[in-house]
Amino acid sequence: PEALCSSARWKYAYSTGATTALDIATSNLALLFVTVSFYTVAKTTTLAWTLIWATLFKLEPCRLRTFFIVLLIVGGLILATEGERHQTYGFSVVGTILVLVAACLGGARWCLTQALFAHDTACAEDPVVVVYHVSPAGVLTLLPIALLWEFPRLWFWARLVSTEGVVAAFSFACAAGCIAYLMLLAEVKLLHETSSLSLSVGGALKDVSQIALASVTFGDEITVASAA
C-alpha cells in the first residue's frame, strides 16, 4: 500500500494503533479484578464514548436523542454496578475504572479509524491496509506494557511447568491471536460499510452472547439488577 502523508499518519494511523493497544491492555487488566459478565456490561459504555468522540470529530451530528442514549447507557452501568456489588466476588473500584478507561479508548479508536477512511482511499477499500498502517504504533505501545507486566510471571511460570504445558499455552495464545486478528479485520470491514456508531450498537449482540457464555463457562452470577 501507498504511504500515508505525514499528518494523516500521526493524526489518525499512529493514534489509532496506540489507542487500540491501550484498549487491549486495560481490558485484559480489568479482567483480573472483575467478572467477565460485569466487564461485558460495563464495556457497553463504549457506545456512549463512541457517540461523544464521533460528535467531537464531527463524524456524527449532535442530536437530542444522542444525549438520551448516553443517559440510558449510564443508567444501565449503574444497575450493573449495583448487581456486581452483591455478587460473591464483590465490587472492584480498580476493575471498574479500568473497564471504563478501556471503553473510552475503544470509542476513540473506532472514530479515529473511521476518520482514517476519509483521508486514505486504500484504507477505505481494504481492511488489511488499515491494520498495516496502525500495527506499528500498536506494537510499540503494547509490547513494553506486556513485557513489564507479563514477562516476570511467564518466566517464573515456565520454570514450574513441563515443556508440554509451555507448548500448549503458546498454542492457545497463538490461536487466540489469530482469532483476534480475524475479528479485527471483520470489525474494520463493518466499520467501512456502516459507521463507528452502528458498529458499537451491533456489538451489543456480541455482548449478550458473551454474558451467556460467561455464565455457563465460569459460573458468573447474573442478578436481576445486572440483567436489567
Side-chain angles (χ1 to χ4, degrees), residues 99-114:
V99 177
L100 293 179
V101 171
C104 177
L105 293 169
R109 76 183 179 107
W110 290 128
C111 290
L112 287 168
T113 305
Q114 186 177 349

Side-chain angles (χ1 to χ4, degrees), residues 66-138:
T66 301
F67 175 74
F68 286 112
I69 291 174
V70 172
L71 285 182
L72 183 62
I73 294 172
V74 172
L77 176 61
I78 293 173
L79 287 175
T81 302
E82 182 66 16
E84 181 79 357
R85 190 170 63 85
H86 291 93
Q87 289 192 15
T88 304
Y89 300 102
F91 175 72
S92 172
V93 176
V94 175
T96 302
I97 292 174
L98 286 171
V99 177
L100 293 179
V101 171
C104 177
L105 293 169
R109 76 183 179 107
W110 290 128
C111 290
L112 287 168
T113 305
Q114 186 177 349
L116 180 60
F117 290 155
H119 289 79
D120 187 78
T121 306
C123 289
E125 294 175 352
D126 190 352
V128 178
V129 178
V130 177
V131 176
Y132 170 81
H133 285 304
V134 305
S135 292

Side-chain angles (χ1 to χ4, degrees), residues 40 204-215:
T40 305
L205 297 176
K206 181 197 73 173
D207 295 336
V208 172
S209 61
Q210 189 167 310
I211 292 173
L213 286 173
S215 177

